[in-house]
Amino acid sequence: MLRSLVGSEMCIRDRVSTQSTGVSASTPMRPQLLLLLLSIACPTMAILNVTVVPWCDNSFRVIVSLAPSRSTGAMVNRALTDANCQPQPGSSVRVGQSLTHGNMMLSRPSDQTLSLATADGDKLMDAFISQFVESSTPGFMAANLTTTPTTSQHQRIFGLGQGNWTAEGGCAANTPQWVVPLTRNGQRLKLQQRKFHVTIPFAYSTAGYGLLWNMPGAGDISVQTDGGMHWTAEATESVLDFWVTTVQQGSEPTPKNAAQIYKAYADATGHAPLLLEDASIFWQSRNRYKSSLIALSVADKYRSLGLPVGVLVMDYKNQVHDGDFAPDASCYPSVRNLSDGVRAKLNATTVFSFWPEALSDSGEYSQLQENNCLINSDLGGRAIDPTTKHCRDFIWSQFLKPRYFDQGVTSYWLDETDGEGTGIGDGDH
């Protein structure tokens, strides 16, 4: 078993004994504990797999995993897409080896350290990968990545979304607010999405690189005053995944070429579609329209006043139960007539909102459960699972397309995507 875990070269020293570890010969050890003991016994032995995938020009996807990894391979690409650039086959990088793709060069001076530079000779950063340890979430591991500047030049860090400007949850109007500097140096941000705090785990460094933390889970990012960063994943399947990019060969890795970094980031993560013209005009929305008749009367009023409206939103409580994925027929007898009426009166788009949980008494609960599309308990029901293609296709084809899209509703309000039900979302339900 030891040989299968650490390879053909074994180095079990006397200090890793049943006496020094307090583990009896008959006590079974988990692979992660065994690997940790082996790393203590053999500090030069590599226990981390580092796979590097060229992903877009001058860019690498770096996947670090335990040997062996417990990853199930779920959400293979995560935030990355191959729609705009074709990833090349990945290569395992061992200690002492390096890899170059365009102007990006990665080397591995030690088991837990990676160095990144441009092929032109500009140093970008060093990255230290922590040991994987047992997470506070049963069945998962926790780990972190620490980047440090490799020159005396002070790096400024930008990006990371919109956060830390008000308190958690609640109503922003009733809590203190403050200005958050665009320069992120000296700040710490949570990576979990929550109300008023939109996290985008991409950082741009004025040293000439961009880094995407390609980990869809809870954690945080601490930016040091010198531009170093400390990324933490609180629960992972023994994998750390990040993507890094730099400027084109022959270009200075300075802020004047930042556009090259952001272009590569857009290519790697996907191009946003053009904003619909209606969405650039005034949105009319209130807490609730109790019926189609009320919504159409509001449309009539705007038309009589000659005021332009681009979107009319059917929000809060338009279903009988969350999880019906259909408006209440007694209040909205014809979605087609409502959509066509709003278009005729205002030339505006009708938007309906729905929620990502299904209550046990909702009309579609049993179907969702039979298709394994319900996950953890949330808000008194069970949350739908949008991470699998089967569930996305099922919900779209069976519920949303025939009941909304085919009735003229082509835009949707995806509510409760702000960590609701976690204790730090829109109230602690």
Side-chain angles (χ1 to χ4, degrees), residues 124-205:
L124 299 175
M125 66 167 173
D126 288 333
F128 179 80
I129 307 148
S130 76
Q131 292 286 352
F132 288 84
V133 297
E134 290 292 336
S135 169
S136 58
T137 302
F140 291 89
M141 305 292 285
N144 55 65
L145 174 77
T146 301
T147 69
T148 55
T150 54
T151 66
S152 58
Q153 179 187 5
H154 178 78
Q155 297 183 15
R156 288 176 295 157
I157 303 298
F158 297 90
L160 301 175
Q162 304 174 106
N164 288 3
W165 62 273
T166 188
E168 302 283 357
C171 179
N174 300 326
T175 58
Q177 301 177 26
W178 45 87
V179 174
V180 178
L182 293 178
T183 304
R184 292 296 195 170
N185 297 57
Q187 299 182 39
R188 176 180 176 271
L189 296 92
K190 294 181 180 179
L191 297 177
Q192 184 176 359
Q193 305 296 339
R194 58 222 193 271
K195 191 171 187 179
F196 309 129
H197 301 267
V198 180
T199 299
I200 300 176
F202 175 77
Y204 165 73
S205 168

Side-chain angles (χ1 to χ4, degrees), residues 340-351:
D340 288 351
V342 170
R343 180 62 69 185
K345 296 174 186 296
L346 295 173
N347 195 26
T349 293
T350 301
V351 170

Side-chain angles (χ1 to χ4, degrees), residues 56-59 100-105 117-122 124 204 207-210 245-254 256-265 267:
C56 296
D57 295 340
N58 316 299
S59 308
T100 301
H101 174 58
N103 198 31
M104 175 63 79
M105 183 172 68
T118 68
D120 289 335
D122 298 293
L124 299 175
Y204 165 73
Y209 72 88
T245 188
T246 190
V247 297
Q248 300 170 5
Q249 210 156 1
S251 298
E252 294 182 0
T254 59
K256 72 177 183 180
N257 291 315
Q260 295 181 23
I261 304 292
Y262 281 95
K263 180 184 183 303
Y265 168 63
D267 287 344

Side-chain angles (χ1 to χ4, degrees), residues 10-21:
M10 295 177 60
C11 169
I12 310 302
R13 299 180 181 175
D14 292 339
R15 66 172 181 245
V16 183
S17 65
T18 57
Q19 181 178 1
S20 62
T21 62

Side-chain angles (χ1 to χ4, degrees), residues 3 6-10:
R3 187 173 297 273
V6 304
S8 59
E9 296 182 9
M10 295 177 60

Side-chain angles (χ1 to χ4, degrees), residues 90-112:
S91 302
S92 178
V93 178
R94 299 179 182 274
V95 174
Q97 293 182 331
S98 63
L99 194 65
T100 301
H101 174 58
N103 198 31
M104 175 63 79
M105 183 172 68
L106 178 148
S107 59
R108 188 180 182 186
S110 69
D111 180 50
Q112 293 175 257

